Amino acid sequence: MFITKNNRLGFIHIPKTGGTSIEVAMRNLGPESKHTWKAVSVFSAHSSYNDWIQKTQQLKYYGRVPPLKWFTLVRHPMARMQSYYYYQIKYDKMRVSGEIPLKTWPKEHFEKRIEIYERMGINHVAQWSEEFVAEMTAIAPDNRYWWKHVNHRGIQKPQNLWIADCPNIKIFKLENIDQCWQWLHKQGALVEATHVKSSGSKPHWSKDFTQETQSKIFDYYKQDFEQFGYKP
């Protein structure tokens, strides 16, 4: 989540929807725009609107008023789940190799997670099957933080929950991200369109997911499909 320095815009970054491209573009603004449109991070990278409300109420001294407008990116739920799977493996391998720093967990946890994800495959992960959860839990069964990580879907939670109760929000689809760039220009933020953090080439999600998996993804993200106008 970020709010621009001039308080005109606030961005709610829903994980695996292309939001990093927005953040990078805002950080790379030219000197003529950066003074007023600089993106100022708020709390954590992935904070929901209700996180914002709760934390600003708790931290009375925070002193940050809501932006004039909020905006966000959403993505087809099937493609988002597929992206999560490949992203997790790619970035776990980067942490194990030392290409990027370890984060939260020891190296052995990442190594075991890579092995489980690759061995069990995308359909077990996407379904969050009992077998998958059991194997993941066994990596560190006595660590309550790891148990919580495995048994709560975290960044995979439905997109609508990230923006629930948010007033005056503009929603763009990753599939039509050019509309977002154009809108930002109209607001006065002269960003340069960019795309970062690709998890590499992959087949269309319909080739990766079985019909059973697609059905379970639809059930879990039913409100996202309906609210954002996506078809299964």
Side-chain angles (χ1 to χ4, degrees), residues 5-6 18 21 26 40 75 88 94 113 128 142 183 213 216:
K5 190 175 180 180
N6 59 12
S21 296
M26 294 297 290
V40 180
R75 184 180 194 175
Q88 193 69 77
M94 290 170 69
R113 182 161 64 182
W128 220 249
D142 299 323
W183 181 80
T213 298
K216 289 191 175 183

Side-chain angles (χ1 to χ4, degrees), residues 74-173:
V74 297
R75 184 180 194 175
H76 193 293
M78 299 285 185
R80 180 171 176 249
M81 176 59 77
Q82 181 195 40
S83 177
Y84 163 78
Y85 174 78
Y86 289 108
Y87 162 88
Q88 193 69 77
I89 293 173
K90 176 181 176 179
Y91 278 81
D92 279 1
K93 287 182 176 180
M94 290 170 69
R95 295 190 192 285
V96 168
S97 70
E99 188 174 343
I100 59 176
L102 292 173
K103 184 178 180 182
T104 309
W105 316 112
K107 182 177 179 180
E108 292 75 17
H109 284 33
F110 292 104
E111 290 174 332
K112 290 179 181 178
R113 182 161 64 182
I114 293 167
E115 190 277 327
I116 291 171
Y117 271 55
E118 293 189 325
R119 172 169 50 81
M120 299 196 77
I122 193 171
N123 286 283
H124 270 287
V125 176
Q127 292 184 32
W128 220 249
S129 67
E130 290 184 9
E131 299 93 331
F132 168 74
V133 171
E135 289 214 30
M136 287 289 291
T137 302
I139 292 175
D142 299 323
N143 186 320
R144 65 188 182 95
Y145 295 106
W146 178 258
W147 186 93
K148 181 179 179 181
H149 162 72
V150 171
N151 286 274
H152 295 76
R153 303 193 70 152
I155 67 171
Q156 296 181 49
K157 73 180 181 181
Q159 296 168 83
N160 70 87
L161 296 181
W162 294 90
I163 59 174
D165 304 319
C166 183
N168 196 27
I169 186 166
K170 186 77 172 174
I171 300 171
F172 296 95
K173 293 183 176 181

Side-chain angles (χ1 to χ4, degrees), residues 162-193:
W162 294 90
I163 59 174
D165 304 319
C166 183
N168 196 27
I169 186 166
K170 186 77 172 174
I171 300 171
F172 296 95
K173 293 183 176 181
L174 175 62
E175 296 82 359
N176 301 312
I177 195 172
D178 283 349
Q179 294 178 6
C180 183
W181 300 125
Q182 293 166 11
W183 181 80
L184 286 169
H185 276 234
K186 289 180 180 179
Q187 306 309 304
L190 304 180
V191 295
E192 181 177 343

